[in-house]
Amino acid sequence: MVCRGNTWLLQTILRNAAPYIVVYSVFWACAYLYFFWANFNINPFPYIGLSDIITLSAKFLFQSAIFALLILGSQTLFFTANETGKTEKKEIASLKFRILLSILISAPSLYYSYDHPALAAIAIGATIPAITPLSYVAIFKQMFSSKPIRIAASALIISLPLFAITTAKTESSEILQQKGNLDMIKTPLGICSSGCIFIGKLGDYFSVIPYNGKTIMIKSDKIQLFEIYKNNYKI
């Protein structure tokens, strides 16, 4: 009976929260795509539909989901119900300061994270102190009765913009600066006969960078035969 009651409660929580989570996730998925493709002077949205947005943003959405699940797991393991209202009020009172401190630390860390990858971990770590007090905000308390779930939802709210910016910046910088293990595309004839850096596929178009360094959009029906491979550029 208890198990059934908990299952019903979880289903109710997820059903009520799902529309908000989906809309928020789609917004940041769009932001990730914009941040990434803007570096190549391309507006991706005329080429793709709603279903493509989720598919093309899968990597960063997966990162945020794993982060939230890790927070949920740790909170579930160490959760205690013996928390006073005084502690909660103290946490809320420090929320603005914690968020401001997180922004001051994470913003420059994210900016320089490509040249110094350790700074990305610092940026993520800087946001963690804001997660718990954020979970006490009224909207979260109305949506989620369980504290671990509230904290996990807060982690998702914070991590989505963080990972959207970080992932877009890192991936586009690797391509533009030709660093790391990049995807390549090679065709028997045409501009990619010697190999092009493969940026991605938008709808019916392949976006590539040939050896002249210019970003080119090629319609998929123009490429009947091609090879995808990896090229490990020295960092």
Side-chain angles (χ1 to χ4, degrees):
M1 178 67 78
V2 174
C3 182
R4 287 184 179 179
N6 289 338
T7 302
W8 175 83
L9 178 61
L10 181 59
Q11 289 175 342
T12 303
I13 289 170
L14 293 176
R15 185 168 59 250
N16 293 335
Y20 301 100
I21 293 174
V22 169
V23 170
Y24 187 75
S25 299
V26 169
F27 172 81
W28 283 108
C30 291
Y32 158 76
L33 291 174
Y34 176 79
F35 291 144
F36 175 80
W37 287 100
N39 289 289
F40 305 100
N41 298 316
I42 295 173
N43 176 11
F45 302 114
Y47 302 97
I48 59 177
L50 181 60
S51 60
D52 298 317
I53 292 173
I54 304 300
T55 304
L56 295 171
S57 308
K59 181 179 178 180
F60 114 84
L61 290 172
F62 179 74
Q63 291 174 331
S64 296
I66 291 298
F67 181 67
L69 288 174
L70 289 174
I71 296 294
L72 176 60
S74 63
Q75 287 296 318
T76 302
L77 287 174
F78 302 106
F79 172 67
T80 173
N82 298 324
E83 184 175 274
T84 64
K86 185 176 180 180
T87 302
E88 181 178 324
K89 288 179 181 178
K90 185 178 179 181
E91 291 274 9
I92 294 175
S94 66
L95 177 59
K96 289 182 180 179
F97 172 75
R98 293 191 189 199
I99 289 178
L100 179 61
L101 185 63
S102 298
I103 293 172
L104 290 175
I105 295 175
S106 11
S109 298
L110 287 174
Y111 185 80
Y112 295 105
S113 62
Y114 179 73
D115 295 319
H116 307 280
L119 292 177
I122 293 174
I124 294 170
T127 63
I128 292 178
I131 291 173
T132 300
L134 184 62
S135 69
Y136 293 126
V137 174
I139 187 171
F140 285 105
K141 297 189 74 173
Q142 291 172 4
M143 292 173 63
F144 309 105
S145 58
S146 169
K147 182 186 173 185
I149 294 178
R150 286 205 313 268
I151 294 178
S154 301
L156 189 65
I157 294 297
I158 289 177
S159 65
L160 279 170
L162 188 67
F163 284 120
I165 296 169
T166 306
T167 307
K169 182 178 185 298
T170 302
E171 290 179 347
S172 59
S173 295
E174 285 179 350
I175 294 172
L176 289 170
Q177 298 181 27
Q178 297 187 9
K179 293 182 178 181
N181 203 23
L182 301 182
D183 290 326
M184 306 289 293
I185 185 170
K186 189 174 183 179
T187 57
L189 299 171
I191 196 165
C192 290
S193 58
S194 299
C196 295
I197 296 175
F198 180 57
I199 301 173
K201 192 170 184 293
L202 291 173
D204 295 327
Y205 290 85
F206 288 92
S207 184
V208 300
I209 299 179
Y211 282 102
N212 61 14
K214 296 180 179 180
T215 301
I216 296 175
M217 301 285 286
I218 306 175
K219 198 160 186 179
S220 54
D221 59 9
K222 301 287 185 183
I223 305 178
Q224 301 298 328
L225 182 65
F226 59 91
E227 174 190 358
I228 296 287
Y229 62 99
K230 293 281 187 180
N231 191 355
N232 190 10
Y233 287 89
K234 292 183 179 180
I235 297 177

